[in-house]
Structures are given as C-alpha cells and as structure tokens.
Amino acid sequence: MGKEVRVRFAPSPTGDLHVGNIRTALFDWAYARHTGGTFIFRIEDTDTTRVTDEYIQAAIDTLKWLGLDWDEGPEVGGPNGPYLQSQRLDIYAQWAQKFLDQKDAYYCYCTPVELEARREAQRAANVAPGYDGQCRDLTDAQIADYKAQGREAVVRMRMPDGGTTFTDEIRGEVTFDHKFVPDFVLVRGDGSPLYTLAVAVDDIMMKVSHVLRGEDLLSSTPRQIRVYQAMGVKPEDYPTFAHLPFVMGQDNAKLSKRNGEVSIAWYRERGFLPEAICNYLALLGWSPGDDRENVTMKELTELFTVDKVHSSPARFDMKKLEAINGDKIRALTPDEFLNWSLPFLTKAAVISGTDAEIAVVKAALPIIQERIVTLAEVPAMLNFLFVKNFAVAEDCVSKVNDAAAKSVLTRSISELKKLTTWTHDSIEAALRSSLIEDMGLKPRIAFGAVRIATTGSNISPPLFESMELLGQEVSLQRIKLALAL
RNA sequence: GGCCCCGUCGUCUAGCGGCCUAGGACUCUGGCUUCUCAAGCCAGCUACGAGGGUUCGAAUCCCUUCGGGGCUACCA
C-alpha cells in the first residue's frame, strides 16, 4: 500500500521475443504507466550458453517498435544499473558469499552424474525428486577429500523446514511445502550465478515492487522468497507477485513455431501494426471489464489493473488479431497510413521511392484503406498503378476475350476518349450512360470487363477511382491492349 | 508419480447468489447494400466439463471427480 510502484520486464533472450514475452512486457508496462510508476527493463543473460548479443539487441528493438518505453534499462541507464545481469556478476558473488557465511547456503560437491542417478532412484521409489541434502553438513575432512578429488562445488541454498505462503495478486494465497522445494543451486561450479540468485537479488536491489511474470515461474517463487530472507529483507518489503496466465497455441499446447508464428519480428514483417498487436495481446488474459475491445495504447494504460487479469490461460487466435489489425489500419490518419505503407511498397519493389510515385501512393491509399487487413497487402493492391509491363492476369483473360466483353471495351474506349475532364465522377457518368443505360448491361458484367482490362484483375480497388489514378491515357491504352487478347 | 495452477459459445471474454430463457467480440452461416473485393448493417449457430451438496434460489459458495497446463536442471 502506498509504496512506489516499480515493475520490471526481465526476459532471457534465448531467441526472438515471442508473443508470450510481449504480453508480459505489455502488462508490466501498462501497470507501470497506469500507476505512474517506473518501468524497468532488465536482461537476464546469466545463461551465457543460450543468450546472444543479437537476441539482446533484437529484444531492445522489438520493445521500442511496440512503443513499450522503459524508464530504466539498456540504452537509457538508470540509478540501479547495470541492467544486464552479465555485468552484475560481482554483486551476485558477494551475496552468495554472505549466504555461505551465514550458513544459509553451503557448498555441494555432488556431480551432475551422481545427482541424476539419485533423482532416477527417487523417481523409481516414487518419492518427490529433488536434492537429498547430502552435502548439507559436510565435515572438514569430507570437504578436503572432495577437493583432493578435484571436484567442483556449486553453492546450494538451504531450504528450512516448513513452507512458504504468499499472496499472488491474480491467484490469491498460494502455499508450497518445503518438502517439495529442495535445496537449489545459486552458483554454478564455474562460479557463475543462476537465475534463482540473480532475479531475487536484482529485484530487491532495483527496488522492484511488483513482479508480474508468466505463471511458469509460480513454483519458483518460494525459492526467491528464500533468497530475500537470506538477504535480510523484511517480509513487508518483498515485491508483490502476480503470475500471468499463459498464451497458448491453437492446439492448446504452449505457443511454438509449430502451431502459429510466435516471433514478434514475424508479425512486423507481415504488416501488423504495433498497436494492433498490443491491443490484441492485452485482450488475452485481461479485459477492461465491459464490452470494450478496441483500445489505444493510451487507453490501455488508463484502464489496466491487475485485478482484471485472468487466472486461466488463453489461446492465441490469428483471425482476431487480423480483425483488430484491420480496425487499426482503418483508424490511421492518411499520413500515418502512408508512412506505414511506404516500406512495404519499396521492399516489394512496387515503387522505388520517387516523389512522383509517393504522390500517386498518397492519392491511392484512401481507396484501399478499408479493404486490407495487413500492410503487406498494400503492394499487391497498388501494383497495377506502377507496373511497367502491364498484363491481364492469366485466369482473367478468358473473361475479356469473348464477343460480349469486347463490345463493352470497344464502347468504353469511344466514350472515354471523348472525356475532357478525367475524374472518377466523369468516368462513372460516361460508362454508366453508355454501358448500363444504352447497352442495357448489368453493372457487374460491364464494369467487370473494364476492371480486368484496366487493373488486370477481377479484384481491385473501386474501378472509377482506380481509372482516375491511372490517367486517361494509360486507361485507354490498357483497354486497347485487352481488346487485342 | 509428486507439488502447484487453471476450467463460461469453436476462440477471446462479461458475469462476483436472484437483473442469465447467460451479454459482447472474433470466426462461421444466411441476408441487405453494392462496379469486384472489402467495409458497413441485420439475422442465425453455438457455452457455464461432470457429479454431489449449501440455499427459497448457483455459472456464481463448498466437496469430489474428470480434463488441461506448469514445475519437478549447475534453463529461465
């Protein structure tokens, strides 16, 4: 109550940040912003065999792209740094030594092979597997003997008898009996710290007040609390825990490459807007409490509270993400839409980026804004305006080379040639009076032929607007070309 | 196996003992609109995992059961 809110997002970048990570980051960020607190970004890179600099940089870029700005962390610094655990090794070593001195921790000389054998035996005997405490009270002679054998020692935390009970903001009171929380390793044989040591130390030293993280860490909470105790932290100064439900894949398994793309970079390339991703992810495990679904980032920070977070896992649904992305695209201002679209157009080589091209794009975007779901569709939608070697799509040729279509196109040419003003209104008026009224054709038949001739496809943005953008000369050229098919 | 978490339409959710013949959104189906595709509008389909209690009354509280998930590392 009343304590300063400090939340952290602390990923271990062993790969690209995925949907689940980002949902956690989003909630951390939203909570910090909602409360006017501090959002800390910390990199948990104690597992040097799996974390790479590339992944760390990618994580930083992804958070930036999503608009999840942090107050303390990489690049921005802060008073509680450094924010990369790999740069805090001496801190962990000091605490580990203190725990050793206090007899809260002890050196364990068991080898991985021995441990595995004993665990196997425990499983076979149907006993809870876990460290059996063999090295808890070694004599000096035993230690000397192990050392003489050249054994490496890990530092292990002593779990006292009893249990740990804490209140999870999302799940309520949770209790773990220490019978099922074996003595755990704090420091590896090579002297490097483990997650269990580093998180706890950092959360305390960085004055983290609220730990919102994935529910996979729920059962590691008693171990962290044990470290707090050893650090001499008073219970009222422990962070508040809130374990977020998982984001699952379609088949109810943890999200993975197999059941849906998980990397945020993938969504970025596919033309999803950061705001759409955040909006959709916010709805996974949280709701404003009413029927609102479309929220901006700003509204999210205003509405987000932990008590509205679910305790049950949610399945990721691409269709709904797409629907929201479409909504967000439609809500873009013309300039925003232009800025988001340009990279996709140049990457697809539809335009090279000249001012003249951009002017056309700018004029054309309004007519496609409500017909696309992702930005990746923009190139295909506008390609007909820029294509050098225009040709009618294969599967559409048969629709414009019959007698009926040819008469439509012939008449269109003669009518359109006469126009002295070339606007979608004048084009429509000319075509309607000649093709529909004079020739008595159904609009979809008549305009369909013109559409294929001018845009090359039976699916296109609105016809008359498209022809206006194309210009009189090019439009006529293309219709003549179709007539020759 | 043990420990822990979770369980409302296909999916995301609203629901905190009577307002629930369970509401919204996405998907799907049908229709309207319409120059194609969209968008928009209307309609429809479909859910409280099961069984016991408690209560005048339960999706809401309790128990059991079944199902799903996590952890059980010198990963995080």
Side-chain angles (χ1 to χ4, degrees), chain A residues 316-466:
Chain A
F316 185 86
D317 180 15
M318 183 72 84
K319 281 277 194 281
K320 183 139 185 174
L321 205 212
E322 287 173 348
I324 289 177
N325 203 57
D327 286 342
K328 297 291 185 188
I329 285 178
R330 270 167 247 131
L332 254 23
T333 66
D335 280 345
E336 286 170 341
F337 190 29
L338 179 68
N339 289 335
W340 282 114
S341 299
L342 253 21
F344 285 86
L345 286 163
T346 49
K347 193 176 178 206
V350 168
I351 62 170
S352 58
T354 65
D355 289 347
E357 287 172 332
I358 291 173
V360 174
V361 170
K362 197 167 182 174
L365 283 176
I367 64 172
I368 66 165
Q369 190 160 9
E370 69 178 26
R371 5 183 72 78
I372 60 171
V373 160
T374 68
L375 296 167
E377 295 167 51
V378 172
M381 279 282 194
L382 298 187
N383 190 48
F384 76 96
L385 291 170
F386 301 98
V387 66
K388 298 284 191 306
N389 303 307
F390 178 80
V392 170
E394 288 278 329
D395 58 330
C396 291
V397 171
S398 65
K399 293 173 186 162
V400 283
N401 65 3
D402 58 30
K406 283 187 190 298
S407 66
V408 166
L409 298 180
T410 306
R411 180 67 186 268
S412 298
I413 291 172
S414 64
E415 294 297 326
L416 294 172
K417 253 199 308 210
K418 294 187 294 197
L419 288 180
T420 50
T421 56
W422 188 258
T423 66
H424 61 91
D425 284 333
S426 68
I427 298 165
E428 176 166 11
L431 257 25
R432 272 196 195 281
S433 75
S434 55
L435 304 178
I436 312 305
E437 286 164 33
D438 287 4
M439 295 176 74
L441 295 168
K442 284 203 163 68
R444 64 182 298 131
I445 303 294
F447 298 149
V450 180
R451 177 188 311 283
I452 291 171
T454 53
T455 71
S457 167
N458 57 343
I459 298 172
S460 82
L463 179 61
F464 311 115
E465 284 80 353
S466 297

Side-chain angles (χ1 to χ4, degrees), chain A residues 459-480:
Chain A
I459 298 172
S460 82
L463 179 61
F464 311 115
E465 284 80 353
S466 297
M467 291 173 74
E468 178 184 332
L469 289 164
L470 227 33
Q472 190 166 20
E473 193 187 332
V474 175
S475 297
L476 286 167
Q477 249 170 35
R478 290 191 180 177
I479 297 174
K480 283 174 193 161

Side-chain angles (χ1 to χ4, degrees), chain A residues 58 60 122 137 141 271 396:
Chain A
I60 291 170
Q122 285 168 325
D137 302 294
C396 291

